[in-house]
Amino acid sequence: MTVKATAEAAGRVVLLSPDLDNLSGFETALAAGWSPDPRRAGDETFIMGELQRLRRDRSRFLDALNPDPKRAVRLGRESLSTQLFWIWDGEFCGSIGLRFMPGTEELPPEVSGHVGYSVVPWKQGNGHATRALRLLLAVAEKHGLARLIILCNEDNDASRRVIERNGGELFKRGSHPSDRPDRTKLYFRLRPAPAD
């Protein structure tokens, strides 16, 4: 039985690598106004642009979502690797990604933490983000990361609870260069661990 079929049968949340078979769920979420980038939530121009790119060339869009680790993004002298997953409970629930530079836990200053996630509105409040983050911590451990930084907006109580339920420890409040200067972020440390 595949991971997807197991999740559907059990009704539990799993992480799937983006693929053509399940791209229609991502497309449906975009068409409903969901943004895979929480900083762009409600940005209709961004969301419609993503939807048009997807519909113009599905394979190319998918390739952009699944960058080859050997083609890590160059940031100055550093390489940033990204691993993206879809949150799945039998259907598309959102996305979660891990960003890191191989060989170090440090990140370039313009990168807003090791983890980013977004759950579609009709799946929020069901523990999907909490479970997805727990599963992503196991992925981070396999990459040898001992400490992760994750940020959320100060007024995002739901995201804060997700992070704290996974052992996140608040260590800083302040702005971040990746977002508007007037938006206060909460900075948390997380320790990767095997999934339960």
Side-chain angles (χ1 to χ4, degrees), residues 25-36:
F26 188 92
E27 180 178 8
T28 298
L30 286 173
W34 169 78
S35 172

Side-chain angles (χ1 to χ4, degrees), residues 36-39 65 67 72-73 75 79-85 95-118 133 136-137 139-141 143-152 163 176 178-179 185-188 192:
D37 182 345
R39 294 169 299 179
L65 291 179
V73 175
L75 298 171
S79 292
L80 184 70
S81 291
T82 301
Q83 195 167 4
L84 180 70
F85 297 96
S95 60
I96 188 166
L98 176 67
R99 299 176 289 254
F100 64 98
M101 295 191 315
T104 181
E105 291 163 0
E106 299 304 315
L107 287 172
E110 67 274 15
V111 176
S112 63
H114 292 93
V115 178
Y117 60 87
S118 180
L133 181 54
L136 192 74
L137 291 175
V139 172
E141 184 186 50
H143 283 293
L145 298 168
R147 176 189 61 103
L148 301 177
I149 304 298
I150 184 169
L151 283 64
C152 72
I163 297 165
H176 191 273
S178 68
D179 209 339
K185 299 286 192 183
L186 302 179
Y187 291 64
F188 293 87

